[in-house]
Amino acid sequence: MKRLLLLALLAVNAHAAGNAKIKFDKTTYDFGATSLVESVTGTFTFHNVGDAELSVQKPNPSCGCTVASLSASNLPPGGKGELVFTIKLSPGAHVIQKKITVPSNDLDHPSTDLNIKVETKPAFTSEPGGLNFNDVQLGSSTNATIVIRRTDGRKLAVKSLASSGSTVTAKYEPIDDKSIRVRSEEHTSEL
């Protein structure tokens, strides 16, 4: 009987102490597609929906390209905090998926995984991917055409066009408001 009473008192004391509960407004942040940026920054908002103080530890990003910080690490019941993150993007086209693990004293969810997704797209494409005049024989000439397109929906504005050497000339003509055709010629002479 004494043992049963002791267990009941322990249960009452544990319940009286309360439980911290972390709740994020969302656990996935999708930036969609972006281009011409070196990094993206976002915010996850969280609340303490429990009846005891919430203690949030330092967030753990899944890689070194992600930095995360908390606006507050201790929240009273009903309190609100933010986790701000920045992901450094590498050049090129790819889909990036990162994770930030957030440990806390929430007994039901001692850690929460936050997922981040961003697709990087180049702002320009070229067809073919590049031109190479290295194989032109002395005393001959050749030409090539390349089409350059803006892929982010903005208008392509060309301010100037310069060639890479004195034997190469280049001219361009608009195809539409997002594309141009560049015609290049190389003329080599005998030494």
Side-chain angles (χ1 to χ4, degrees):
M1 176 78 167
K2 285 185 182 184
R3 180 178 256 177
L4 184 59
L5 183 59
L6 179 60
L7 289 175
L9 287 175
L10 287 174
V12 169
N13 285 338
H15 180 68
N19 292 319
K21 292 196 178 294
I22 191 166
K23 182 174 188 319
F24 281 85
D25 288 352
K26 61 182 174 181
T27 57
T28 299
Y29 200 111
D30 189 347
F31 283 96
T34 187
S35 61
L36 296 176
V37 295
E38 293 180 1
S39 63
V40 291
T41 299
T43 303
F44 286 101
T45 303
F46 60 94
H47 303 270
N48 180 359
V49 296
D51 55 5
E53 182 172 89
L54 175 68
S55 177
V56 183
Q57 285 81 46
K58 182 179 176 184
N60 300 314
S62 60
C63 74
C65 64
T66 305
V67 176
S69 63
L70 297 168
S71 64
S73 57
N74 292 310
L75 295 177
K80 174 183 166 185
E82 292 181 336
L83 181 144
V84 178
F85 65 91
T86 300
I87 299 175
K88 184 173 176 161
L89 303 174
S90 57
H94 38 255
V95 174
I96 299 169
Q97 294 187 4
K98 302 296 178 186
K99 179 174 74 170
I100 300 171
T101 301
V102 183
S104 71
N105 65 336
D106 181 334
L107 297 177
D108 295 330
H109 302 287
S111 70
T112 304
D113 289 336
L114 305 175
N115 300 293
I116 306 156
K117 181 179 176 185
V118 60
E119 180 180 2
T120 60
K121 290 185 173 186
F124 303 93
T125 61
S126 62
E127 298 167 17
L131 301 176
N132 185 349
F133 291 116
N134 290 340
D135 296 332
V136 177
Q137 301 295 319
L138 288 175
S140 65
S141 65
T142 189
N143 61 55
T145 301
I146 189 169
V147 175
I148 299 172
R149 288 189 170 78
R150 183 108 192 215
T151 61
D152 60 1
R154 295 183 180 173
K155 187 174 180 178
L156 177 61
V158 179
K159 293 183 180 180
S160 66
L161 183 65
S163 63
S164 60
S166 60
T167 61
V168 178
T169 60
K171 296 178 184 177
Y172 76 91
E173 60 187 45
I175 297 172
D176 55 38
D177 67 340
K178 293 176 184 64
S179 308
I180 61 169
R181 181 175 293 111
V182 179
R183 298 183 193 279
S184 341
E185 293 185 17
E186 180 168 22
H187 303 281
T188 60
S189 57
E190 297 282 343
L191 295 177

